[in-house]
Amino acid sequence: MELSSRYNPNEVEEKWYKHWESNNYFKSTPDDREPFTILIPPPNVTGVLHMGHMLNNTIQDVLIRKARLEGKNACWVPGTDHASIATEAKVVKKLRDEGIKKSDLSRDEFLNHAWEWTDNYGGIILQQLKKLGASPDWDRTVFTMDDVRYKSVIKVFVNLYKKGKLYRKNRMVNWDPKAKTVLSNEEVLYSEENSKLYYVRYRLENSDDYITIATTRPETILGDTAIAVHPEDERYAHLKGSRAIVPLIDKPIPIIFDNYVDKEFGTGALKITPAHDPNDYEIGEKHKLEIVNILNDDATISPAGQLYIGESRFNARKLIVSDLEEKEFLVKTEDLVHNVGRSERTNVLVEPRLSLQWYVDMKSLAAPALAAVENNEINFYPEKYKNTYRHWMTNIRDWCISRQLWWGQRIPAWYYNEDVFVAETEEEAFKLAQEKYGNGISRDDLKQDEDVLDTWFSSWLWPISVFDGFESREDLSYYYPTSVLVTGWDIIFLWVARMIMAGYEWENTFPFKDVYFTGMVRDKKRRKMSKSLGNSPDALKLIEDYGADGVRFGMLSCSPAGGDLLFDDKLVENGRNFSNKIWNAVRFIKGLKIDQSLETPAKNQLAQDWITSQLNKTILGLNDSFKTYRISEALMNLYTFIWNDFFSWFIELIKPEYGKPIDRGTYDFCIQLFETCCTLLHPFMPFITEEIWHQIKDRKEGEDCINSQYPEAGLIDDRLISDFNLLKSIVSNVRDIRNKNQMPPKEQIDVAFINNPEIDACMVRNGFREALLHKAYLKSFEGHETGEKIDGISFICGKTKFFAQIQKELDVEEEITKLEEELKYQQGFVVSVEKKLSNERFVNNAPEAVVEKERKKLSDGQARIDAITKLLEKLRKG
RNA sequence: GAGACUGUAGCUCAGUUGGUUUAGAGCAUUACCUUGACAGGGUAGGGGUCGGGGGUUCAAAUCCCUCCAGUCUCACCA
C-alpha cells in the first residue's frame, strides 16, 4: 500500500479510538493481577476542556497506558464534579437570561433546571477527553451528585456528627455576595489592590472637638458602634469615658481603649464595626458592643444602615464620601495598597459576615494525614510540596462546609425549635425527635436545613466513593489505595489534603501512594492561561491542527513535575514533526526491496548489535525516569533514541545504495525495532504507534499495540557503545572538515590514522571499517606507525590522531593556529590534573578509584599533547 | 508579618548521596547541504567565570553562611 509522505493524524485517530473502545481495552474488573489505579480529578460537569485538563489527563493516560503494557490491571476511573457554586451560578445566569429569577422558583423547580442543564451539557468534557486519546474505563464514569455519591456524602456527614467532629457555630465568615453563600477560607483568594484610606472626623459628644479615624471602608461608618484607641496613646488619654457622634447619622458611640489598635497606623484611632470586620467583631465581643449589620446578603445597604438603603456597597461608598466631604467630615484621602480577598468562583470582593454555619473539627483529622506525608507513606512529586502541606496542616483551621445554595447535597439536619437532629433520612431524624419530645411532635414540626454541603465535602471522599466504598467492599478492597493521584498543586488544600484525611478517617490508610503535582499552563509571558485573558489556545482546535499525539508530545516534552508548562505553538509543532519523522522512517523501510539471498553485511550486523545495546540502555533509563515521575525526561530520552540513534545513525548505516535491495535479516530487525519502539512510545503517543504497529506487520485479531508487552531491558555492551562513539566522532570530524573546506559532503576522501591500542581494538571489530567508510564517505582508511609522512588536515578523536587527506592546498598557518589552540586547551587541562595529583592530601584522602581516574586523565592528556606537538613540529618544518 | 521554594546557554530545564576531561539536553540562532523516506529534512558550529561574596573540603553547580533577585503559601493593620 502506498503511504502518504505526511502523517495524517485526523485520519487515524478516530479509527483507533473506536477500535480500542470496541475491544474493551480500557475496561477493568478485579482479578488476580496487580491493580494500577488512577482516579481522574473530576472536572466541573459543565466545564469545557482547557489546556490544564489536557496536560493533567495526558499524564494520567501515559501512566495508565504504561501500566497496562506492563500487564497490570490498569483502572482509570473517570467522572465529573457537580461544582456546587460554579454550576449554580451558571444556572442562575442562564435563567436570568430567560427572564427567570431564582428567588421566584421553589427549591425543586430550581433543581429541575439545574439537572436539565447538567444532562444537556454535563459530560461534554469527558467526550472531549476521548479526542485526546484518554483511556479511562468509561463504564465506571461517576458524578459527585449521582445517587451513590450523594448517599456517601450524607453517611459521612452523619458519621462525623456522631463522632463529635461536626459542629454548628455563629462566627465571622467569608461571604460571597454574588453567589450569596458562605465560603471556606480556601475558597478566598487574596491579592494586593489599590485602594484609598479615608480620614474622617467624628465630633465628640458635648464638645466642639473632633476625633479623626482612618478607614478604607467609609460605607461601614453606618454600622459603627465604637471608636477604639490604644490605652497608652497619650493623644487620646483625655477621652476616657467620652463618646463620639457618628457623622451623618448622628449616633453617639463610646470611645474604648484596646491594645489591638496600632498607634502608628493612620491617626491611631480606629472605628469599630463589629458586624463587618473580623477584628472589630472580636473587639466588639470583648467590650460588649452593639452589633449593627447594615448589609443585606447581596451586600446592598439594609434598612439598618439608615442611609443609602438598597444601594450597593460600592455606590454607597461613593455617596457617603461625597456627603462626608460636603459636610466637612472628610479630612483627607490617601492612596493605599492592601490585600483584599475575592471569591475564587465569582471573583467578587468577599464580605465578612456574621452567620451560623456548619464546621468540621479538623484537628483530629489532620494528625494521621500529616504523619502519612511526613514519613513517606505518601510521596509527593516534587517533594517540595511537602513543606506547603506541612505548613497548612500544622496550622489547620476548621472547615466551614455549609453553603447557602441549592445545587449540592442538602445537609441532613432537621431542626425542631432550637434543637437539631442529624440523621441519614427524615424518617430517622423524626424518630430521634420523638425519642426526645415524645409523640406530641408532628413531622411537620421538623424543618430540614436549607443549606447544601461544600462541593469539596463530596470530592474529598472520591477515592472511596467512586467504588461505592461506603456501601460495598467489593471493588474498594481491590483498587484501594489507588496508585497515584495526578493533579495541580493549586488544589493541594482544597482537595489533596482532605482526601488524605478522609482516607485515614474511613479506610484507615492512605488513598493514594503517590501524588504527582502538575504545574500550571502559562503563556509565553508566564501568565496563567485563562478564559478572561483570552490567552488560552482552543484545545480541540489544537488537536485538529497538530494531532492528539503532537499535542501530547508538545505538552509532555516540556513539563517537569510541579513546574509550569510555558505553552508555545512550537512545542506541539515539534510533536507533529516527530510524528512525521517516524511516519517517514517506516515508509522508507517498508519501501525497500528485500533480497532473500543476500547475506547480512558486517556493518549492518555491527549496527544491529550497537543499537540493541543502545535500546536496552534507553529502556533502563525510561524505567528509572518513570519511577520518579520524570515524564518529560523519559519522553525526551526516547525521542533522542528514536530520532538520533535509530533514524539518524542506524538507518543511515544500514541503508543500501540507492535502488539496491536490503538483506532479509536487517529488514526483519528493523521491523522488530519499530515494533519495540511502538510499545515504548505508545503511552506518550498512542495513536501513531497503534497505526504503525499495524502498518509494519499483519496482525491477528486482538494483537494491538495498546495491549502489547512492554519490553524488558536486555544486555548492554558498554565496550561496543564506546567504540561506536569513536566511530561517530570520526564521522563528525570528517564532516566538519568537509564543511569548513566547502567540499561536497559526499566527495570521497582518504583518511589515515596513527596506530594505537584504542583504534586497533575498533579496527578488528567486524564491520567497523566498513561502517566508517560508508558513513564518512571515505575512499580509504589506513593505519600508519608514525605521522611523519602523512599529509592532510589533522584531528584527534579519543587518543587517536587522524589525517583527512583532502584535495586542497593546505593552509599551513591556519592549521598551526588551530593546533596551537588545541594545544593550549590540552595543556591547561593537564595542568589542572597535575595540580590535583601533586597535592599529597588529594592522593592520600581521595578514594583510590578517583585518583586512578585522574592519573588516566593525565596520561591521556599527555598523549594528546604529545601528538599535537609532533604535528606542530612537522608543520613548522614545512 | 511568618514560612517555603527557585536562581545553570537567548528560552525551558537536566545535572540523582560533593569526584567521567575546563558543565549537558531540547528549542531558538548561525553557516553550509539538499530533485531518491522526511524542506515538518540533513550536517557542522557559536553561545554559560552555574545570581554576587565569603566559608568547609584534597575536591563545590552540588554542603554551610551572607547578600541580591524572583516565585509561592499562610496570616493579616483599619
Side-chain angles (χ1 to χ4, degrees):
Chain A
M1 190 180 70
E2 192 68 15
L3 295 179
S4 148
S5 76
R6 284 181 185 186
Y7 171 61
N8 199 332
N10 300 331
E11 281 173 16
V12 307
E13 291 183 353
E14 206 182 319
K15 173 181 75 182
W16 289 120
Y17 200 87
K18 279 192 184 142
H19 178 80
W20 293 330
E21 275 202 290
S22 63
N23 280 275
N24 294 327
Y25 287 134
F26 305 161
K27 278 203 183 164
S28 170
T29 46
D31 57 25
D32 50 11
R33 286 177 297 165
E34 179 190 347
F36 184 91
T37 317
I38 299 182
L39 311 181
I40 199 174
N44 290 359
V45 64
T46 58
V48 172
L49 193 69
H50 64 240
M51 297 305 291
H53 296 126
M54 296 237 288
L55 174 62
N56 187 248
N57 285 286
T58 298
I59 290 168
Q60 291 173 71
D61 196 47
V62 169
L63 298 173
I64 213 81
R65 282 179 187 270
K66 168 102 183 324
R68 198 178 283 131
L69 292 169
E70 285 172 328
K72 293 178 189 160
N73 187 345
C75 180
W76 184 12
V77 182
T80 47
D81 192 302
H82 66 285
S84 179
I85 186 167
T87 305
E88 177 148 336
K90 278 185 196 169
V91 175
V92 166
K93 184 179 181 301
K94 183 213 162 214
L95 290 173
R96 198 173 52 222
D97 291 346
E98 292 167 8
I100 306 170
K101 278 199 279 183
K102 182 188 168 192
S103 53
D104 292 343
L105 296 175
S106 71
R107 187 177 189 118
D108 284 343
E109 283 168 341
F110 179 83
L111 286 176
N112 281 340
H113 282 289
W115 275 110
E116 193 186 330
W117 170 280
T118 302
D119 293 339
N120 286 346
Y121 300 94
I124 287 181
I125 191 160
L126 297 181
Q127 292 304 312
Q128 292 176 323
L129 282 176
K130 295 185 176 182
K131 296 254 183 260
L132 187 65
S135 61
D137 182 352
W138 294 113
D139 291 347
R140 290 183 174 273
T141 305
V142 291
F143 177 43
T144 54
M145 271 276 276
D146 61 25
D147 285 347
V148 171
R149 268 41 69 176
Y150 200 113
K151 276 186 198 143
S152 305
V153 167
I154 300 302
K155 272 192 179 152
V156 158
F157 185 93
V158 174
N159 179 269
L160 278 178
Y161 183 79
K162 284 184 181 157
K163 290 190 213 159
K165 292 181 180 181
L166 277 187
Y167 65 90
R168 201 164 171 240
K169 195 181 173 183
N170 211 0
R171 68 161 66 130
M172 266 291 164
V173 297
N174 306 296
W175 184 261
D176 179 331
K178 189 175 176 194
K180 294 189 204 168
T181 177
V182 65
L183 302 173
S184 68
N185 297 325
E186 289 69 38
E187 290 168 297
V188 180
L189 303 177
Y190 291 90
S191 62
E192 291 213 318
E193 293 186 19
N194 292 321
S195 116
K196 292 210 184 308
L197 188 60
Y198 302 90
Y199 287 75
V200 181
R201 58 180 192 172
Y202 288 42
R203 194 170 58 77
L204 295 171
E205 197 178 32
N206 306 321
S207 159
D208 290 332
D209 278 348
Y210 290 89
I211 181 167
T212 302
I213 57 90
T215 180
T216 53
R217 303 201 55 191
E219 69 278 13
T220 62
I221 282 173
L222 304 173
D224 281 356
T225 54
I227 284 179
V229 295
H230 196 276
E232 283 152 31
D233 195 333
E234 286 168 13
R235 292 173 293 180
Y236 302 115
H238 63 287
L239 295 177
K240 202 150 202 163
S242 337
R243 300 208 293 178
I245 309 292
V246 179
L248 306 178
I249 55 172
D250 293 332
K251 174 182 175 177
I253 54 171
I255 292 171
I256 60 171
F257 294 78
D258 196 292
N259 286 325
Y260 169 78
V261 181
D262 177 0
K263 286 193 281 186
E264 308 302 320
F265 190 92
T267 60
L270 170 66
K271 73 184 208 57
I272 302 296
T273 325
H276 300 292
D277 184 278
N279 296 303
D280 289 13
Y281 177 73
E282 266 181 45
I283 293 173
E285 281 212 309
K286 201 162 136 193
H287 296 267
K288 303 203 163 44
L289 297 174
E290 184 193 356
I291 297 172
V292 180
N293 183 352
I294 58 151
L295 291 177
N296 296 312
D297 61 3
D298 61 352
T300 55
I301 306 290
S302 72
Q306 301 180 46
L307 301 171
Y308 324 116
I309 295 164
E311 295 288 346
S312 77
R313 50 189 166 159
F314 307 112
N315 258 345
R317 181 177 304 175
K318 278 183 208 151
L319 294 170
I320 200 170
V321 166
S322 87
D323 285 348
L324 288 170
E325 196 168 14
E326 193 182 311
K327 304 225 163 92
E328 296 183 349
F329 288 110
L330 187 67
V331 179
K332 61 174 175 174
T333 310
E334 279 175 2
D335 288 328
L336 181 78
V337 176
H338 73 152
N339 247 353
V340 297
R342 288 179 178 274
S343 163
E344 189 205 5
R345 285 292 159 209
T346 63
N347 203 36
V348 297
L349 284 176
V350 163
E351 193 65 49
R353 182 186 172 98
L354 189 65
S355 70
L356 184 61
Q357 305 288 346
W358 283 95
Y359 294 86
V360 181
D361 172 14
M362 298 299 268
K363 290 250 157 45
S364 63
L365 292 176
L370 174 59
V373 173
E374 288 289 39
N375 60 31
N376 295 325
E377 246 175 18
I378 298 172
N379 299 302
F380 282 4
Y381 298 90
E383 224 184 330
K384 65 177 174 181
Y385 290 107
K386 269 174 87 168
N387 295 322
T388 315
Y389 180 82
R390 182 189 310 116
H391 187 245
W392 189 74
M393 291 294 267
T394 47
N395 296 292
I396 198 154
R397 303 198 295 175
D398 286 351
W399 177 15
C400 177
I401 52 168
S402 44
R403 294 290 180 277
Q404 286 64 55
L405 301 167
W406 284 343
W407 182 240
Q409 287 88 1
R410 190 167 176 181
I411 292 178
W414 283 263
Y415 304 100
Y416 177 67
N417 297 332
E418 295 298 297
D419 223 344
V420 59
F421 301 96
V422 171
E424 284 179 32
T425 60
E426 186 175 357
E427 190 81 22
E428 284 174 49
F430 183 55
K431 262 188 219 156
L432 291 174
Q434 277 182 318
E435 279 168 27
K436 188 159 179 186
Y437 292 100
N439 288 331
I441 190 169
S442 103
R443 197 172 269 232
D444 290 342
D445 295 334
L446 282 184
K447 289 249 174 326
Q448 188 177 358
D449 198 312
E450 291 294 327
D451 293 349
V452 300
L453 288 158
D454 181 7
T455 297
W456 301 103
F457 194 84
S458 57
S459 5
W460 77 321
L461 308 175
W462 196 240
I464 306 170
S465 69
V466 293
F467 299 116
D468 196 6
F470 292 99
E471 196 62 53
S472 139
R473 309 296 304 170
E474 206 178 319
D475 277 4
L476 192 77
S477 59
Y478 180 72
Y479 291 113
Y480 188 100
T482 66
S483 307
V484 52
L485 171 74
V486 180
T487 190
W489 51 259
D490 53 333
I491 50 174
I492 184 168
F493 308 132
L494 282 167
W495 196 42
V496 181
R498 288 171 181 161
M499 277 194 286
I500 298 174
M501 291 188 243
Y504 282 92
E505 182 72 18
W506 288 287
E507 285 303 315
N508 210 22
T509 186
F510 49 85
F512 26 72
K513 185 67 198 143
D514 297 334
V515 184
Y516 176 106
F517 288 106
T518 62
M520 302 293 108
V521 183
R522 296 175 191 277
D523 67 7
K524 277 182 266 184
K525 291 174 193 160
R526 280 196 178 270
R527 295 177 305 181
K528 200 169 161 176
M529 284 192 166
S530 73
K531 237 191 274 175
S532 52
L533 275 173
N535 58 349
S536 181
D538 178 340
L540 294 175
K541 181 85 178 4
L542 217 51
I543 291 177
E544 220 169 274
D545 292 348
Y546 296 92
D549 291 329
V551 175
R552 290 167 68 115
F553 179 95
M555 291 191 304
L556 292 172
S557 66
C558 205
S559 54
D564 290 345
L565 166 62
L566 267 75
F567 188 81
D568 185 337
D569 281 357
K570 196 74 207 170
L571 291 175
V572 286
E573 216 175 293
N574 290 339
R576 186 185 57 185
N577 293 356
F578 185 40
S579 300
N580 203 55
K581 182 76 183 174
I582 298 170
W583 183 253
N584 276 292
V586 171
R587 196 158 75 97
F588 171 70
I589 296 296
K590 292 243 313 171
L592 290 173
K593 267 179 276 174
I594 305 164
D595 185 338
Q596 302 284 4
S597 64
L598 218 54
E599 289 258 328
T600 300
K603 73 168 170 57
N604 288 15
Q605 191 56 53
L606 179 81
Q608 289 175 35
D609 294 345
W610 166 74
I611 196 120
T612 302
S613 273
Q614 200 68 9
L615 171 71
N616 290 331
K617 214 173 160 177
T618 304
I619 294 172
L620 281 185
L622 279 177
N623 293 342
D624 208 45
S625 302
F626 266 108
K627 243 181 255 160
T628 46
Y629 297 96
R630 286 179 291 190
I631 311 284
S632 292
E633 183 185 272
L635 177 57
M636 288 320 281
N637 283 339
L638 192 52
Y639 169 84
T640 305
F641 173 77
I642 292 175
W643 197 313
N644 292 355
D645 295 337
F646 186 8
F647 297 165
S648 293
W649 285 98
F650 179 80
I651 290 191
E652 290 301 324
L653 250 178
I654 56 102
K655 198 181 211 173
E657 276 179 63
Y658 182 65
K660 297 264 175 68
I662 190 166
D663 63 282
R664 167 59 72 183
T666 305
Y667 179 85
D668 288 347
F669 181 90
C670 277
I671 296 298
Q672 189 53 47
L673 187 51
F674 267 119
E675 188 174 289
T676 308
C677 286
C678 278
T679 302
L680 289 172
L681 190 60
H682 181 80
F684 306 98
M685 304 176 84
F687 292 110
I688 189 172
T689 48
E690 191 68 78
E691 174 68 16
I692 285 171
W693 176 270
H694 289 270
Q695 288 286 351
I696 52 177
K697 269 190 199 170
D698 287 330
R699 302 288 181 178
K700 281 178 288 199
E701 185 71 31
E703 193 190 349
D704 295 305
C705 187
I706 191 178
N707 70 339
S708 58
Q709 198 183 355
Y710 201 81
E712 302 252 345
L715 293 176
I716 298 167
D717 183 344
D718 284 318
R719 188 56 207 258
L720 176 54
I721 289 175
S722 87
D723 286 355
F724 202 87
N725 284 341
L726 184 71
L727 185 146
K728 283 160 110 178
S729 157
I730 296 167
V731 171
S732 293
N733 270 284
V734 172
R735 283 171 177 167
D736 185 30
I737 286 166
R738 281 209 182 85
N739 237 337
K740 288 197 171 123
N741 293 284
Q742 278 125 29
M743 286 177 66
K746 293 188 180 175
E747 186 180 316
Q748 291 202 315
I749 56 172
D750 297 305
V751 168
F753 59 91
I754 297 172
N755 293 324
N756 72 52
E758 178 192 53
I759 187 77
D760 292 347
C762 293
M763 292 303 286
V764 298
R765 212 179 252 290
N766 219 1
F768 187 90
R769 180 196 193 88
E770 196 188 345
L772 191 58
L773 292 176
H774 176 90
K775 269 301 267 186
Y777 299 104
L778 302 185
K779 215 186 310 173
S780 70
F781 188 63
E782 297 300 335
H784 297 257
E785 283 313 310
T786 73
E788 291 301 320
K789 293 186 178 146
I790 318 173
D791 290 327
I793 298 176
S794 61
F795 60 91
I796 293 171
C797 297
K799 281 177 276 183
T800 313
K801 205 172 357 163
F802 298 87
F803 301 87
Q805 295 161 316
I806 65 167
Q807 303 300 317
K808 194 189 162 217
E809 196 67 28
L810 196 60
D811 186 335
V812 178
E813 284 309 310
E814 199 189 301
E815 188 73 357
I816 288 177
T817 317
K818 196 181 85 186
L819 283 168
E820 276 172 344
E821 271 170 27
E822 177 66 17
L823 185 65
K824 216 170 134 191
Y825 175 89
Q826 292 296 343
Q827 281 170 338
F829 167 60
V830 164
V831 166
S832 79
V833 179
E834 271 175 342
K835 212 167 129 192
K836 252 190 206 173
L837 283 167
S838 63
N839 186 335
E840 268 179 46
R841 283 178 297 182
F842 170 68
V843 181
N844 295 337
N845 294 329
E848 189 51 38
V850 175
V851 178
E852 197 44 49
K853 254 178 212 166
E854 291 300 317
R855 291 214 175 96
K856 190 163 181 318
K857 277 192 217 167
L858 182 65
S859 68
D860 288 358
Q862 279 165 337
R864 282 193 293 270
I865 289 178
D866 201 42
I868 298 166
T869 316
K870 277 187 187 154
L871 270 175
L872 271 171
E873 273 170 23
K874 200 184 95 187
L875 281 171
R876 286 193 180 117
K877 267 191 261 170

